Amino acid sequence: MKKSNMILGCGLLISTLAGCTDATAKLSDSSSTLFTIGNATITKGEVYSMMFNGSGASVAVNDAESYIAKQEIEITDEMKESAQGTLDMYTTYYGDSFTKYLEDMEMSEEDYLNEYLIPGLQADELPKKYVEEKFDELVETFAPYKATILSFTSEDDAKAALSELNDGTATAEEAATNHNSSSSGKSQMYTIESTDLDSMARTVLTSMTVDDGWAFISSSDGATFYVLRMDEKDPEAMHDEIKDTLANISNVQNDAKTYWFKKYNFHVYDIDLYNAIKADFPDNLVQDLQ
């Protein structure tokens, strides 16, 4: 039996105890001997308890997430290529130790590809699909926009860069380099969650339009000087970029977990598994929200 299948028994607690209150799953043959070392006998119950305590919650949640991802996310050629690339890297970099790992797990390379790598890539897409389904609502909440921001420690440098930008003699990248700015000069996506944005810069950008051109401001503490421009505020014009950006925000990822697990009625009846998931994966324990 694959070791993963032994652990998977923990996940069965989700569906087999329906209707029970504070139920606890038990193995009917927990006293059966798995192996003996010297005078020590190891039973199925002991191994089950060890695996349950060590990874029962993560296995149950990961298995549920894989199931949801299989229903919601189509496997693309890009996913297959990415998974194959990862597998090739493992076999090249880890060599015999990876082969031994697969043997211990009683898995072939194809099993590992189809049961772990590809499902993992599918699960990675769930936050993006959540953003897609809640796009208008999330745009209203996070107010995303694209802007170019150059920062300077010298007011003279900032104003010199502004002059070059206004008369068109330098690009944003060149103006930054020419006047001692460490900024990249590239347009970037920002939201209300962007912690690297000074409060004064945030306030000014919120009121700007794409027709306003370049502006000069000082930071809220007066120590930094900014030359900035609003590049895009229309959500549909930057749809895919917004989706990628919002899907990487931790609060959105947590909300996505809750959304998908609630959609698929994830429910735990085993009290020990319930407590373990509540401690480590509270956003997935959606039965408390119903």
Side-chain angles (χ1 to χ4, degrees), residues 261-280:
F261 274 63
K262 191 170 184 178
K263 178 177 179 178
Y264 283 85
N265 299 313
F266 180 77
H267 198 106
V268 181
Y269 295 95
D270 178 88
I271 187 60
D272 294 326
L273 183 59
Y274 171 92
N275 288 333
I277 293 176
K278 187 172 185 177
D280 295 336

Side-chain angles (χ1 to χ4, degrees), residues 28-290:
S28 60
D29 57 347
S30 60
S31 60
S32 298
T33 298
L34 279 180
F35 54 88
T36 301
I37 303 176
N39 295 325
T41 298
I42 307 300
T43 67
K44 288 182 70 174
E46 290 172 326
V47 172
Y48 172 85
S49 296
M50 178 185 68
M51 290 184 168
F52 182 91
N53 293 330
S55 56
S58 62
V59 168
V61 168
N62 289 338
D63 284 349
E65 187 174 53
S66 293
Y67 172 82
I68 293 169
K70 286 178 182 179
Q71 314 311 308
E72 294 288 339
I73 307 297
E74 180 181 357
I75 298 174
T76 64
D77 290 339
E78 289 78 10
M79 288 182 188
K80 293 178 183 178
E81 292 173 5
S82 177
Q84 185 63 55
T86 299
L87 180 62
D88 292 343
M89 184 271 289
Y90 286 171
T91 56
T92 300
Y93 187 81
Y94 295 107
D96 291 342
S97 61
F98 181 66
T99 301
K100 181 64 166 56
Y101 166 78
L102 292 180
E103 290 175 353
D104 290 344
M105 295 290 288
E106 297 181 14
M107 300 181 71
S108 66
E109 290 186 3
E110 185 175 359
D111 290 335
Y112 190 75
L113 186 78
N114 293 320
E115 296 178 25
Y116 287 90
L117 295 180
I118 290 178
L121 293 173
Q122 287 177 282
D124 289 342
E125 294 297 311
L126 285 174
K128 293 182 183 179
K129 187 168 184 181
Y130 167 73
V131 172
E132 188 69 59
E133 296 197 4
K134 298 287 186 178
F135 189 78
D136 291 342
E137 178 182 332
L138 291 171
V139 164
E140 183 176 354
T141 299
F142 289 96
Y145 56 86
K146 290 186 70 174
T148 303
I149 303 175
L150 309 182
S151 63
F152 303 85
T153 57
S154 162
E155 182 175 0
D156 289 340
D157 280 337
K159 289 184 175 179
L162 177 63
S163 178
E164 290 181 354
L165 292 167
N166 282 334
D167 62 25
T169 58
T171 64
E173 293 91 335
E174 291 168 343
T177 301
N178 293 344
H179 301 285
N180 306 307
S181 172
S182 60
S183 303
S184 69
K186 299 183 182 299
S187 182
Q188 297 183 36
M189 182 75 67
Y190 295 93
T191 73
I192 61 171
E193 293 285 310
S194 299
T195 57
D196 58 336
L197 203 56
D198 178 78
S199 60
M200 183 61 70
R202 188 195 311 277
T203 299
V204 171
L205 283 167
T206 300
S207 65
M208 291 181 70
T209 72
V210 295
D211 297 323
D212 290 335
W214 292 98
F216 166 84
I217 65 168
S218 58
S219 63
S220 53
D221 62 4
T224 304
F225 304 91
Y226 297 104
V227 175
L228 43 79
R229 178 185 65 190
M230 174 61 68
D231 297 324
E232 188 57 76
K233 296 184 86 168
D234 179 10
E236 289 306 322
M238 44 185 180
H239 189 102
D240 290 343
E241 290 177 275
I242 289 176
K243 185 167 64 175
D244 291 342
T245 298
L246 296 186
N248 283 313
I249 296 175
S250 59
N251 287 342
V252 174
Q253 292 175 344
N254 293 337
D255 289 344
K257 292 175 186 176
T258 300
Y259 174 81
W260 292 119
F261 274 63
K262 191 170 184 178
K263 178 177 179 178
Y264 283 85
N265 299 313
F266 180 77
H267 198 106
V268 181
Y269 295 95
D270 178 88
I271 187 60
D272 294 326
L273 183 59
Y274 171 92
N275 288 333
I277 293 176
K278 187 172 185 177
D280 295 336
F281 305 96
D283 295 303
N284 299 81
L285 201 61
V286 296
Q287 66 203 65
D288 290 344
L289 305 177
Q290 298 172 350

